[in-house]
Amino acid sequence: MTRYNEIWHEIKQKLEENFDDVVFEEIFEPVDDVFKVSNSYIYLIAPNDFIKKRIEMLYLNKLNRYLEQYFEKLHKFKIITKEKATEELANQKEFSVNEPENNQDRYIKGNINTSYTFDSFVVGNSNRLAYTSAIKVADQPGIVANPLYIFGDVGLGKTHLMQCIGNYILEGNINAKVLYVKTDQFVEEYVKLAHKNKFEEFNRKYRDVDVLLVDDIQFLAKKEKSQLEFFKLFEILHGEGKQIVITSDRSASDLKDVMSRLTSRFEWGVTVDINRPDLDHRIKILEKKLLAETSDSDLIPTSVIEYIASVFDNNVRELEGALKRVLFYCTAFNLNFTVKNAEQALKNLIKPRINNNHLRENQVKNIMSLVSDYYRISTSDLISKKRKAKYVFPRQIAMYLIKTLYGLPYQKIGSFFNDRDHSTVMHSVQKITNEIEMDYNVKKDVEKLTTKCGQN
Ligand code: ADP
Ligand code: MG
């Protein structure tokens, strides 16, 4: 704690040097020692709500920037009022100002990324439902949606959103026991401890929690013993009303090789999916990421942002990587941020995409998402084995488009739709070909979709 206090007082000194006396005396002077440190937030007490708001609105970014010199890992200040701090102390009898990181050590450190907050998560059509559900869960853990099951392709923000929930809950209550675990880590620990007969240790870690965040549950596939253990854990926590959040790269019903007893439990709660962001959404994400990287949001012109957003349409992680690369490249070589320079910076990333299957896969995914949007079904239903007409017809349209636009072999197309065989795809393409001739509406639909595919 003393270290944090020292840092705060050093920063305070700098503020005194940099700010007008009147401002300093009114705003910063009354802020004394650090109240507590939790979840990488350093809590300072403002004497009243007015000063708290002034700091938050006008000075917090600056204060946080000072912190960067002191810590490798991101730390931020959080301002609370004296009233709130007193209340918190009164409510937590065992709370010790000298040991603020006890809980953090056990549950948080190196575990939850504190920059994954609802604030930094950009909302658009592709993730709105997931986002609102996550907020509800964070507000009322264990009550509104248990478990919350979030699924979607890689790099679309599942981990980010899941950790928002954890960060939000911890912000409200530093003593909440939030445990984030990657599924492969869960399996590994189980195997290791089961081997040594140390179940107690294992149970202590996993059962003594308020909120359990389990990332990438698909990795439980084929791990029967771990599945059983997870099932037990799930039953216990769920029974106690503890919030469970799960992410996966596929819907619960598509989790092959995970016992159905478990996957049917996932459907007790709320299931939401995250899809690929559209162009506008990608631009917004880039703008947000840029703001996090630099204080000057006008550093990169809109044309360059739009260029990056139009090329990297597959997932947010790639999008973010592309932005960082452009930033790095232009800064390192002292170049202006122009589309041409951005192209240059990204050429190694873009070229392989055009040359290999990757782009093809992107194009296929693009068609899938356009078709599912068009028919208002989810992409996972589109590629699922469900046989309701409302899924079958769009699925056949998607296969038809992939065949006619990209000429992939039938078998290859089948592999994108849950490993359907060559003859199913062929039949679908044939059927749509006939329908286009017979049915004016189908013809129009296909034309519209073809244009859309060309635009993307
Ligand atoms: P997933 O777990 O689905 O593979 P991640 O949560 O790891 O994806 O997200 C990959 C990267 O993209 C992260 O850096 C994350 O911050 C970013 N990201 C994804 N979606 C969003 C979003 N909606 N707003 C801001 N950043 C996002
Ligand atoms: Mg993830």
Side-chain angles (χ1 to χ4, degrees):
M1 198 62 172
T2 36
R3 162 120 177 90
Y4 291 106
N5 266 330
E6 274 168 25
I7 291 173
W8 164 237
H9 286 289
E10 266 185 47
I11 293 178
K12 205 166 155 183
Q13 220 159 33
K14 289 182 196 157
L15 295 170
E16 188 169 9
E17 288 157 20
N18 285 326
F19 279 97
D20 193 81
D21 283 354
V22 181
V23 174
F24 180 79
E25 275 160 28
E26 187 195 356
I27 306 286
F28 300 114
E29 171 80 329
V31 180
D32 263 340
D33 287 355
V34 169
F35 172 60
K36 69 181 181 193
V37 180
S38 162
N39 197 18
S40 299
Y41 280 109
I42 300 173
Y43 285 68
L44 297 174
I45 302 178
N48 56 46
D49 203 42
F50 174 72
I51 295 198
K52 170 177 185 286
K53 292 227 168 75
R54 285 281 293 276
I55 298 182
E56 285 171 342
M57 278 169 61
L58 300 172
Y59 307 111
L60 199 56
N61 282 343
K62 193 176 173 71
L63 294 186
N64 286 337
R65 245 173 277 136
Y66 278 121
L67 278 180
E68 289 165 12
Q69 309 161 12
Y70 293 96
F71 300 100
E72 243 173 57
K73 203 179 144 209
L74 188 72
H75 277 69
K76 286 189 175 166
F77 282 117
K78 192 181 270 302
I79 315 295
I80 55 171
T81 56
K82 194 162 192 168
E83 199 184 359
K84 178 99 200 290
T86 321
E87 201 180 293
E88 196 168 296
L89 280 174
N91 286 342
Q92 291 158 8
K93 294 190 194 78
E94 293 158 328
F95 181 82
S96 151
V97 183
N98 294 324
E99 297 287 340
E101 291 190 63
N102 256 358
N103 186 32
Q104 188 174 356
D105 272 348
R106 193 154 154 224
Y107 293 96
I108 314 301
K109 215 169 243 175
N111 203 354
I112 292 192
N113 181 338
T114 48
S115 66
Y116 284 172
T117 58
F118 285 120
D119 272 351
S120 64
F121 190 81
V122 184
V123 188
N125 288 334
S126 62
N127 59 19
R128 185 163 288 113
L129 183 63
Y131 172 81
T132 43
S133 309
I135 292 226
K136 282 188 192 151
V137 163
D139 255 336
Q140 292 181 280
I143 295 171
V144 283
N146 204 10
L148 175 65
Y149 186 94
I150 306 169
F151 72 99
D153 282 341
V154 64
L156 293 183
K158 301 183 296 294
T159 301
H160 186 144
L161 192 57
M162 159 181 262
Q163 296 203 356
C164 291
I165 299 176
N167 278 318
Y168 184 96
I169 291 174
L170 284 162
E171 241 173 76
N173 171 13
I174 55 154
N175 284 335
K177 294 174 194 159
V178 176
L179 182 62
Y180 166 83
V181 65
K182 294 190 169 84
T183 300
D184 46 359
Q185 175 197 342
F186 176 88
V187 171
E188 205 176 291
E189 278 177 30
Y190 174 70
V191 171
K192 205 167 88 194
L193 294 174
H195 192 66
K196 293 190 192 154
N197 259 325
K198 285 190 177 169
F199 289 111
E200 241 176 66
E201 194 178 317
F202 183 83
N203 287 341
R204 215 178 315 124
K205 171 166 179 185
Y206 286 101
R207 294 188 184 175
D208 183 22
V209 300
D210 298 317
V211 180
L212 180 67
L213 311 173
V214 186
D215 207 359
D216 287 321
I217 197 85
Q218 72 273 9
F219 291 124
L220 268 190
K222 299 202 175 113
K223 310 271 176 5
E224 282 82 12
K225 285 198 180 134
S226 300
Q227 283 174 29
L228 191 61
E229 197 55 38
F230 185 71
F231 179 76
K232 283 196 259 169
L233 177 65
F234 185 98
E235 292 278 283
I236 290 171
L237 295 180
H238 194 273
E240 291 172 350
K242 305 293 174 61
Q243 179 68 46
I244 301 166
V245 183
I246 294 166
T247 71
S248 172
D249 69 348
R250 63 204 77 178
S251 71
S253 55
D254 285 337
L255 275 176
K256 288 182 204 146
D257 300 315
V258 174
M259 59 193 206
S260 57
R261 239 191 322 161
L262 188 53
T263 54
S264 66
R265 294 288 192 276
F266 298 161
E267 284 157 2
W268 283 357
V270 168
T271 293
V272 288
D273 60 344
I274 301 189
N275 293 297
R276 290 162 61 210
D278 58 25
L279 182 64
D280 274 353
H281 190 184
R282 295 200 295 276
I283 291 173
K284 288 209 185 86
I285 292 175
L286 283 176
E287 286 168 347
K288 188 91 180 185
K289 298 283 173 190
L290 184 60
L291 217 57
E293 291 287 325
T294 96
S295 50
D296 177 9
S297 58
D298 294 329
L299 183 68
I300 299 192
T302 316
S303 56
V304 175
I305 294 286
E306 283 173 358
Y307 167 73
I308 301 173
S310 68
V311 178
F312 293 84
D313 57 356
N314 198 33
N315 79 50
V316 183
R317 189 172 295 131
E318 281 181 14
L319 191 66
E320 211 180 334
L323 175 70
K324 285 197 176 142
R325 199 168 165 124
V326 170
L327 270 172
F328 174 78
Y329 182 87
C330 293
T331 318
F333 295 106
N334 204 8
L335 301 167
N336 290 332
F337 289 99
T338 60
V339 172
K340 212 167 173 56
N341 288 334
E343 262 173 13
Q344 197 59 27
L346 298 172
K347 80 173 183 256
N348 291 336
L349 294 184
I350 298 169
K351 255 215 191 114
R353 288 159 57 90
I354 293 172
N355 291 340
N356 66 18
N357 285 337
H358 197 71
L359 187 69
R360 236 199 237 160
E361 221 170 282
N362 281 345
Q363 287 162 330
V364 168
K365 282 199 182 138
N366 184 30
I367 292 183
M368 286 173 169
S369 93
L370 284 170
V371 173
S372 24
D373 283 353
Y374 191 84
Y375 291 103
R376 294 170 193 277
I377 61 173
S378 70
T379 312
S380 60
D381 282 333
L382 184 82
I383 62 175
S384 72
K385 299 227 157 163
K386 293 181 186 166
R387 303 180 61 154
K388 281 194 188 145
K390 70 170 180 183
Y391 305 131
V392 173
F393 180 69
R395 192 177 298 143
Q396 291 173 332
I397 291 272
M399 291 177 177
Y400 170 87
L401 287 170
I402 296 169
K403 184 69 194 170
T404 49
L405 292 175
Y406 300 116
L408 297 187
Y410 291 120
Q411 197 184 355
K412 178 80 193 164
I413 298 176
S415 74
F416 292 112
F417 292 83
N418 248 307
D419 277 329
R420 282 191 172 70
D421 63 17
H422 147 272
S423 64
T424 311
V425 180
M426 203 160 80
H427 167 78
S428 302
V429 174
Q430 193 54 51
K431 179 160 170 283
I432 299 299
T433 314
N434 295 343
E435 288 206 27
I436 289 172
E437 280 176 23
M438 314 284 293
D439 187 336
Y440 180 73
N441 288 330
V442 177
K443 180 166 182 274
K444 276 283 152 214
D445 280 356
V446 170
E447 280 173 5
K448 269 191 221 150
L449 281 163
T450 308
T451 321
K452 277 178 192 273
C453 293
Q455 282 165 352
N456 261 276

